[in-house]
Amino acid sequence: MKAPLRSLTAMAALLGAAALLAGCDQLGIEDPAKVAAAKEADAKAIGGACRNALRAIEDCYALNPKAQKAAVYEGWREMDEYMRENKLEGTRPVVANAQASRPAAAASDEEESPSPRSAKGQVSEKGSDKGSDKGSEKSGH
């Protein structure tokens, strides 16, 4: 009789431990495997969305620096394959801030563009007074 009682007690202890462990999610204790899987799924979704939005993979990395690059690339590649197989066209993103949709290299090139030239080919300074330039040109003629 002692053997069935011990097995019953052990079974009750195991069920109690399983019930306590199942409640960890309700306490806010996150499972590291679930967190990693969620981050990977998010990064794959970001990559797929970037490909659908006709963004280069480099732009996608730049716009989402916290996302896992390998998973972003995997999502981008999967969406690329899907779009090619089904002959789908991407959609251009509609962004309120034009700076966000341009690559960083293009934005820096525009800032470093040469100074505007006058009709005579002379470089004018950005801070110069245009009114004084016109006055000097009129007086010279």
Side-chain angles (χ1 to χ4, degrees):
M1 270 205 175
K2 289 186 179 183
L5 186 58
R6 283 186 189 173
S7 66
L8 185 60
T9 305
M11 189 69 104
L14 284 174
L15 287 174
L20 288 175
L21 289 176
C24 288
D25 289 339
Q26 294 174 353
L27 295 175
I29 300 172
E30 296 177 347
D31 182 21
K34 287 182 181 179
V35 171
K39 284 184 180 181
E40 184 176 352
D42 288 345
K44 283 179 73 172
I46 288 169
C50 282
R51 174 57 185 101
N52 189 43
L54 302 175
R55 293 191 192 273
I57 189 70
E58 295 84 7
D59 295 341
C60 194
Y61 292 152
L63 292 171
N64 302 287
K66 293 183 180 181
Q68 299 172 359
K69 288 186 178 183
V72 169
Y73 174 72
E74 187 176 344
W76 191 93
R77 186 181 46 81
E78 287 176 3
M79 181 59 81
D80 184 58
E81 288 175 10
Y82 176 80
M83 291 174 72
R84 287 177 192 263
E85 286 174 5
N86 295 303
K87 297 178 182 156
L88 298 174
E89 295 293 324
T91 57
R92 290 270 175 215
V94 178
V95 181
N97 184 0
Q99 294 288 344
S101 64
R102 289 192 328 216
S108 66
D109 288 345
E110 287 179 4
E111 291 173 1
E112 297 175 7
S113 64
S115 299
R117 294 186 179 267
S118 67
K120 294 180 181 179
Q122 298 172 345
V123 176
S124 65
E125 294 179 18
K126 290 183 180 179
S128 67
D129 185 9
K130 292 183 180 181
S132 63
D133 290 341
K134 289 180 182 178
S136 64
E137 287 175 358
K138 288 181 183 178
S139 63
H141 286 88

